[in-house]
Amino acid sequence: MLNSSPNKISLTALPPLALYIHFPWCEKKCPYCDFNSHQIKDGIGKSGFDEARYIKVLIADLETELPRIWGRQVHSIFIGGGTPSLLSPAAMDELLCAIRARLNLEPDAEITMEANPGSVETEKFSAFAKAGINRVSLGIQSFQDDQLKALGRIHTGEQAKHAIDIALQHFKSVNLDLMYGLPNQTLEMAKADIETALLFNTPHLSFYNLTLEPNTYFANFPPHLPSEDEVDAIFEQNLALLSNAGYQRYEVSAYAKKNQECKHNLNYWRFGDYIGIGAGAHGKISFPDKITRQVRERHPETYMQAMESKGNALIEAKEIPAKDLPFEFMLNALRLTNGVATNTFSERTGLPLSVISHGLSEASKKRLLDDNPSQLKATPLGLRYLNNLQEMFLD
């Protein structure tokens, strides 16, 4: 039975488990990017980074996690960055073979790799597929050269189209990352990007609003962006285009054909567990009586040195206080357009639903939360003001 105390959790079953691997290097740091990515430098092999060393410490990092997840099956792998496609196919194969030897990996597990559309990476797609990658997420952002230049991207619109063609030949699933609200973007320019993307009929699309994140070049030297009303118009226009083309919006920024949702990201949004290895990686692992988080050293060199000298690169390892779990759960679950079943809250947090009763009541009164008692689901108004809705569940 679920523990009725709001200060003590009790999980009757552990959630699904995934693996995230962070690759921290890229060819060029984009001016809007606040991810843990570092521009490669000349002088360290042909690639500009010590590939063999990084793969070795990744495998060692994974081994430190094995006692905490022993016997549990891993349902998905996501290799993000940075630009993981900068790895050689041989290094990718070595990494995935090491993972299979150490984890109980689901036979048809979704294995995603992020990639940029540059020609060097696309030439390697066949070999990546043979190594076991079955889903690729391409950082397209725009098909218009002027927009790509404004975003600091190093590929062209034609290279993006070529990369999509190659990816569709080799991978079971392909996602295209697109952005809107770009510098000086008009309604017509945004429409052209979506219409170009739709020509490829990929199973999945991500559609992000460009925001000025702290500690980025754009935050210090902001470009001229469309007004809030113009951004809203672009979103509504392109939402209709995507819907008419058979894409369902299943998360704030994610759209998929039927049964083509990203399994790995769904696990995040449903408050599942994930091992996180690599520079700056975060992890979340549940136990019957607690839920824990870990954070690793952020800088690649510091991360590798810590793994080599101490055998781990943790800078934080803690149990999540019970009082923080409701907000963390709702922060993720309310991003899903269909929300989650109400009983998922207790299943994933180990807490009674009563701990969020006040927030649920207030959100319903403001018409931000659906009235269906069997679902925790934002209304269209709630999705529009998602930050306000999520904040209602802060301790």
Side-chain angles (χ1 to χ4, degrees), residues 222 236 358:
E236 294 297 337
H358 178 73

Side-chain angles (χ1 to χ4, degrees), residues 149-376:
K149 186 176 180 180
L151 290 173
R153 305 295 286 174
I154 59 174
H155 67 272
T156 66
E158 285 305 310
Q159 285 178 320
K161 295 172 187 177
H162 179 67
I164 299 169
D165 283 333
I166 300 298
L168 287 169
Q169 293 174 30
H170 294 293
F171 301 106
K172 181 180 177 181
S173 185
V174 175
N175 168 63
L176 307 183
D177 274 348
L178 297 168
M179 299 178 78
Y180 68 101
L182 306 181
N184 300 305
Q185 188 179 46
T186 65
L187 203 60
E188 292 74 21
M189 293 163 68
K191 183 179 181 182
D193 270 345
I194 287 293
E195 289 181 334
T196 302
L198 293 177
L199 293 174
F200 295 93
N201 199 35
T202 58
H204 195 285
L205 289 169
S206 299
F207 188 41
Y208 300 102
N209 182 16
L210 173 63
T211 54
L212 305 184
E213 301 293 347
N215 303 314
T216 63
Y217 180 86
F218 272 2
N220 294 321
F221 304 97
H224 180 266
L225 300 181
S227 68
E228 187 174 335
D229 287 343
E230 289 171 324
V231 168
D232 286 345
I234 289 171
F235 172 78
E236 294 297 337
Q237 166 193 259
N238 289 2
L239 177 62
L241 289 169
L242 290 165
S243 179
N244 290 339
Y247 291 88
Q248 180 184 357
R249 185 191 187 200
Y250 70 97
E251 188 268 343
V252 169
S253 303
Y255 302 76
K257 297 281 191 176
K258 187 176 181 181
N259 299 322
Q260 294 296 320
E261 296 87 353
C262 177
K263 294 178 182 177
H264 188 88
N265 286 342
L266 278 175
N267 187 55
Y268 289 147
W269 297 321
R270 291 169 176 164
F271 212 51
D273 280 355
Y274 50 95
I275 308 161
I277 61 172
H282 292 230
K284 168 186 171 284
I285 303 294
S286 299
F287 299 88
D289 61 344
K290 62 183 178 181
I291 300 173
T292 64
R293 281 206 186 279
Q294 292 183 333
V295 183
R296 281 152 170 79
E297 291 280 1
R298 183 176 175 88
H299 193 277
E301 181 60 32
T302 308
Y303 165 76
M304 290 188 287
Q305 287 180 1
M307 285 301 309
E308 292 163 342
S309 63
K310 301 189 300 181
N312 79 73
L314 297 177
I315 57 172
E316 184 178 295
K318 67 175 185 178
E319 179 179 343
I320 305 174
K323 66 181 180 63
D324 294 342
L325 287 170
F327 176 68
E328 289 209 17
F329 177 89
M330 298 300 275
L331 186 69
N332 288 280
L334 292 176
R335 292 182 62 89
L336 293 167
T337 57
N338 288 329
V340 296
T342 302
N343 59 7
T344 308
F345 176 82
S346 295
E347 289 174 358
R348 298 290 162 87
T349 65
L351 298 170
L353 188 66
S354 59
V355 301
I356 57 169
S357 58
H358 178 73
L360 295 176
S361 175
E362 290 300 305
S364 294
K365 287 177 184 176
K366 295 183 178 180
R367 299 182 180 178
L368 300 177
L369 201 67
D370 194 281
D371 289 333
N372 184 349
S374 67
Q375 289 287 114
L376 298 175

